[in-house]
Amino acid sequence: MNVADAIGRALAAAGVRQVFGVIGSGNFHLTNAMVAGGARFVAARHEGGAATMADAYARMSGTVAALSVHQGCGLTNAMTGIAEAAKSRTPMVVVAAEVTEPRSNFYVDQEALARSVGAVPVRITSAETAVAEALGAVATAVRERRTVLLNVPLSVQALETAAPAVAPPPSKDPVVPDAAEVTKLTDLLRHAERPVFVAGRGSRGYRQVLESLAERSGALLATSAVAHGLFQGNPWSLGISGGFASPRTAELIRAADLIVGWGSALNMWTTRHGALIGPDTTVVQVDDDATALGVHREIQLGVTGDVGLTATMVLDALDALGEQRVGYRTTELGSVRWRDVAFDDESTGGRIDPRTLSLALDDLLPAERVIAVDSGNFMGYPSVCLSVPDENGLCFTQAFQSVGLGLATAIGAALAQPDRLPVAVLGDGGALMSAAELDTVRRLGLPMLVVVYNDDAYGAEVHHFGPGGHPLDTVTFPPTDIAAIGRGYGFEAVTVRTAKDLAAVGDWLNGPRSAPMLVDAKVVADHPSWWLEEAFRGH
């Protein structure tokens, strides 16, 4: 058996069951070997899309996914998606062919590329060590929640080696928190009058224990954007904390005397650059990675431990003490939903208000949905107006703030959550950047709804630089018939200028959905979205 075959089969046996990529000569045999080992391969139309599909699949399935790319240019094409995955600590293995001769036209320093975006580089160094090094890459991805670049030199791939031995896939053991830190957190909850839990990505899967602890301690419940939906339906849920928070949610969080971040980075987005944290508020962060504690803001207590295990230990301690706190639950929450905030509909007949569009879509869509939102001026509206059933209802690839990842995100999420309606929500800029992957949607037979908020511009830049009187010719464009582009790829499509035009979406939802559907929504573009100023402050 040659090295390429052994590595591919070893990766599949180690738990890599879903692979995305674009095939070239260098990764042809590696990819076929993964498929022969039992993995499913999805061919994207661009490596950048393939990288984000793998990222989204890993996030929404809870498993390690793989990206397969050609040496040199295949890897550089994928780097934006790899950067997003690495910044989000997505467990993913990038399997890249590699040339090591600098005179080759395919040569780039692939190890340096990985390090530059925060990925972990690993290289296959010999036929004898190839399988062990490949398995080590998967173990790092899983146990450390890292995106790993596995470089496989062409000079090694054809060498002979032994068939890989069968080994169980790697697993991550929960980190047990220090008892003294648990006691300190318990004591803080016992004395807090207005506690708020902010649950992040590390809290996914731990809804029950966090709700039980919140009930025992009288805490209100909020999430970061990436954990949106975790507490869906709970009467004490505030929704998303941060730039997407409703006015009432922001008011309640700002008045908290104790904020506990559970598996949440408590970064500038989740705290509005700290504006949601009162001057006298005690801040606690619970994370199973000690290096994540206190990175984005000062904290009074850091607990290194698995979220579920830590919450269980604190709950047990409160139960043993017989503590039942009322806490913040004496307050009437009022309306914490954006859809209950009154607004003046600015639809013109030729263009639809993005708030009107978002709320109408929310009413149309089935409850079982998985939504992916691209980056851009429009993104706040669907992010807060489109409800999700649980923490697996929104795939939010926004750590790198790159426009153009939304469609590929929706594809990866759709394959990970096949029983839900996949909804890709894009701006016109992101839609046109990623249009090639419309072919992937159609080819896979995904019953996807793609909604394009089309303002014929890079709206974020228009609203950021326009007030200063700067010329905007570089960021505005002639009208584009994106519906026609969708039809060209085999989609059903409709142009939406008024709420009545959405009837076609209702018909599609009630029909066989035998082809995907694209909505080219011509949206009002007169105002920046409310979150935009904060976004630019983060540059």
Side-chain angles (χ1 to χ4, degrees):
M1 176 179 292
N2 64 35
V3 167
D5 196 26
I7 288 174
R9 291 176 181 273
L11 291 173
V16 176
R17 312 304 290 175
Q18 181 68 61
V19 186
F20 299 86
V22 175
I23 300 302
S25 58
N27 64 327
F28 179 84
H29 296 299
L30 285 165
T31 305
N32 282 347
M34 284 188 272
V35 173
R40 179 187 182 186
F41 176 71
V42 169
R45 285 301 193 179
H46 190 276
E47 290 91 348
T52 300
M53 291 174 203
D55 179 7
Y57 184 90
R59 296 186 196 210
M60 305 309 288
S61 67
T63 64
V64 62
L67 166 68
S68 178
V69 295
H70 185 269
Q71 63 270 21
C73 54
L75 179 61
T76 57
N77 275 347
M79 286 310 298
T80 296
I82 293 170
E84 168 65 34
K87 286 177 177 290
S88 298
R89 299 291 293 267
T90 299
M92 186 170 97
V93 178
V94 181
V95 184
E98 182 185 35
V99 293
T100 55
E101 171 51 61
R103 288 176 295 181
S104 169
N105 60 314
F106 286 123
Y107 177 79
V108 292
D109 190 338
Q110 296 190 179
E111 179 175 330
L113 281 175
R115 294 191 188 281
S116 72
V117 298
V120 178
V122 174
R123 176 173 287 113
I124 301 300
T125 59
S126 71
E128 293 75 22
T129 59
V131 168
E133 288 163 339
L135 294 178
V138 179
T140 297
V142 171
R143 292 174 182 153
E144 299 181 25
R145 292 198 308 273
R146 299 296 297 273
T147 296
V148 178
L149 172 61
L150 179 62
N151 289 311
V152 189
L154 295 178
S155 58
V156 177
Q157 287 191 35
L159 299 178
E160 289 299 309
T161 189
V166 177
S171 60
K172 179 178 174 59
D173 294 328
V175 177
V176 180
D178 181 78
E181 294 175 351
V182 171
T183 298
K184 290 178 183 178
L185 176 52
T186 302
D187 191 56
L188 287 172
L189 286 171
R190 289 180 64 202
H191 295 93
E193 295 182 358
R194 298 179 306 280
V196 171
F197 290 176
V198 179
R201 185 177 175 185
S203 294
R204 294 173 64 170
Y206 296 126
R207 170 174 180 160
Q208 184 175 356
V209 66
L210 288 174
E211 285 187 329
S212 296
L213 180 57
E215 182 177 359
R216 177 67 73 175
S217 58
L220 303 183
L221 296 160
T223 71
S224 65
V226 294
H228 181 38
L230 179 64
F231 302 120
Q232 178 68 24
N234 187 293
W236 298 102
S237 173
L238 302 177
I240 301 175
S241 173
F244 291 158
S246 71
R248 179 58 175 158
T249 290
E251 178 185 7
L252 289 165
I253 294 174
R254 194 176 291 115
D257 61 353
L258 173 66
I259 291 177
V260 184
W262 296 94
S264 171
L266 296 179
N267 59 25
M268 60 183 178
W269 310 116
T270 306
T271 68
R272 289 189 181 177
H273 297 271
L276 291 188
I277 299 176
D280 300 319
T281 303
T282 298
V283 180
V284 178
Q285 195 177 355
V286 180
D287 201 292
D288 65 3
D289 180 3
T291 65
L293 299 175
V295 169
H296 295 282
R297 65 160 295 107
E298 182 181 354
I299 59 176
Q300 282 67 56
L301 174 63
V303 180
T304 304
D306 174 78
V307 165
L309 188 55
T310 302
T312 298
M313 292 173 69
V314 175
L315 181 60
D316 289 344
L318 291 176
D319 286 343
L321 293 168
E323 294 277 349
Q324 176 60 62
R325 302 279 299 170
V326 176
Y328 216 167
R329 299 191 173 191
T330 59
T331 301
E332 288 291 332
L333 294 191
S335 176
V336 297
R337 302 189 308 167
W338 268 108
R339 71 172 299 142
D340 296 328
V341 177
F343 68 93
D344 294 327
D345 188 338
E346 298 180 358
S347 301
T348 64
R351 289 188 175 271
I352 186 170
D353 189 308
R355 296 163 293 186
T356 302
L357 170 66
S358 302
L359 293 174
L361 284 170
D362 190 45
D363 292 337
L364 280 172
L365 298 176
E368 290 300 310
R369 59 184 81 162
V370 57
I371 296 168
V373 181
D374 209 336
S375 192
N377 181 60
F378 75 97
M379 65 179 290
Y381 302 114
S383 295
V384 301
C385 292
L386 299 182
S387 59
V388 294
D390 53 31
E391 70 269 33
N392 293 315
L394 175 66
C395 194
F396 201 67
T397 48
Q398 297 289 342
F400 202 24
Q401 276 187 269
S402 174
V403 174
L405 305 187
L407 181 57
T409 298
I411 294 170
L415 294 172
Q417 301 283 334
D419 296 329
R420 300 188 178 196
L421 173 71
V423 183
V425 190
L426 320 174
D428 54 299
L432 292 171
M433 282 185 186
S434 60
E437 302 306 346
L438 294 173
D439 173 76
T440 306
V441 175
R442 187 266 311 162
R443 187 164 24 90
L444 293 174
L446 297 176
M448 183 181 292
L449 178 65
V450 177
V451 183
V452 181
Y453 286 57
N454 187 354
D455 63 359
D456 298 314
Y458 292 138
E461 284 64 36
V462 167
H463 295 298
H464 184 60
F465 295 108
H470 300 285
L472 299 175
D473 295 4
T474 54
V475 292
T476 54
F477 303 93
T480 301
D481 189 348
I482 297 178
I485 294 173
R487 292 187 191 98
Y489 278 103
F491 279 60
E492 295 183 35
V494 61
T495 299
V496 170
R497 299 181 183 276
T498 70
K500 291 182 179 178
D501 295 331
L502 288 169
V505 178
D507 293 341
W508 179 81
L509 289 168
N510 294 324
R513 306 181 198 172
S514 53
M517 176 76 168
L518 186 144
V519 175
D520 182 5
K522 310 297 186 181
V523 296
V524 172
D526 294 340
H527 304 292
S529 56
W530 75 93
W531 66 277
L532 188 60
E533 182 178 354
E534 178 181 341
F536 276 106
R537 284 177 61 203
H539 283 186

